[in-house]
Amino acid sequence: MTRLDEVGLVARRLGDARLAALSVSAGASLLRQSGRHGDALTRDGRALALVDPRPDVHDHAAVAAVADVMVNLAADNLGLGRFGASERLLNRADRVLAPHDETVGEEWVTGRPRVRLFWVRAERALYTGDPATALIEARRALALVRRFGAAAPPRHRIKTELIVAAAVSASGDTDPAIRTARRLRAEAAAGDLIPLEWAALSLLAGIGDDDAYVRTDMDDRYRLLYARGMPFVTVTNDR
């Protein structure tokens, strides 16, 4: 995260609050992906303090920055089991994005945080034992990603399909979920998207894939991510 901190420092010197907030929030995402939700919450709180919570609706970059931070905070609270706070933050992000509704020609700059909003809503539904709602929200995200086509990076499409697979599995239909996760694991590996490959392997392990190499490969990718600086929870930083 050192380079992200440097970007944030330069952004603050230049008076670019949006870039400063996004650099802080990007660092928080690494912590969140590593299971350190409390640390991520602190960092995302700093990001929110850097942006105007009521951005000009015509400034799409500002709208995206505010919505992103709110979605991130919702994900942090979800990881901490604070479901009510998570829902309130998602609703706030939804209101920020409302003038850029996906039904009226939304651009990817604001479409991306909306996709992420659907992700967290789906994950919240999974956390609270509502796989039907999770599947609805995950499919909304997938429909939006597909509508943007090449404008949406492959990693967004892969993660979205992984969330759909998780919701399908939670609904009791594990075989198609396993097939999808295996395909996505291969696609992530081909694109050197190691965090997503690890996520796909973790999903496969969680839903009972009988491939003998799943857990071995998952541990291998974990070690690789750790070696590359992913700040996983340890006895010294456990939050």
Side-chain angles (χ1 to χ4, degrees), residues 140-213:
R140 290 178 74 187
L142 185 57
L144 189 53
V145 167
R146 286 174 172 168
R147 186 169 69 78
F148 279 105
R155 62 190 179 88
H156 285 79
R157 194 258 311 158
I158 291 173
K159 179 167 180 178
T160 301
E161 288 196 61
L162 278 173
I163 295 173
V164 172
V168 168
S169 175
S171 301
D173 207 357
T174 56
D175 287 344
I178 288 173
R179 289 194 296 272
T180 297
R182 285 178 175 175
R183 172 176 58 81
L184 295 172
R185 181 266 172 103
E187 291 180 16
D192 199 32
L193 300 171
I194 298 173
L196 288 175
E197 185 185 1
W198 176 61
L201 287 163
S202 299
L203 176 59
L204 287 168
I207 60 181
D209 187 353
D210 60 5
D211 186 331
Y213 295 99

Side-chain angles (χ1 to χ4, degrees), residues 19-136:
L19 180 57
L22 289 172
S23 66
V24 172
S25 201
S29 72
L30 294 176
L31 293 166
R32 184 169 54 254
Q33 291 172 44
S34 304
R36 295 171 60 182
H37 296 94
D39 289 337
L41 181 68
T42 299
R43 195 173 177 102
D44 280 324
R46 286 168 47 203
L48 184 61
L50 292 169
V51 295
D52 182 348
R54 292 184 176 83
D56 180 348
V57 297
H58 301 293
D59 187 340
H60 294 190
V63 168
V66 173
D68 255 336
V69 173
M70 289 181 177
V71 170
N72 291 343
L73 284 165
D76 299 335
N77 277 280
L78 180 60
L80 294 169
R82 300 170 181 171
F83 303 130
S86 180
E87 181 66 14
R88 288 191 293 274
L89 284 157
L90 290 173
N91 289 339
R92 287 179 65 188
D94 205 6
R95 289 193 293 272
V96 170
L97 291 169
H100 306 272
D101 191 281
E102 71 265 29
T103 64
V104 292
E106 184 173 45
E107 298 177 358
W108 177 244
V109 67
T110 52
R112 183 184 58 81
R114 187 181 296 282
V115 168
R116 298 182 67 248
L117 187 152
F118 291 150
W119 288 350
V120 181
R121 279 188 170 159
E123 290 165 350
R124 184 183 182 279
L126 288 173
Y127 271 59
T128 55
D130 186 359
T133 296
L135 192 54
I136 290 170

Side-chain angles (χ1 to χ4, degrees), residues 2-18:
T2 301
R3 289 184 180 177
L4 285 171
D5 290 334
E6 290 174 354
V7 169
L9 181 61
V10 171
R12 284 190 289 275
R13 286 175 178 169
L14 295 174
D16 191 334
R18 290 189 302 243

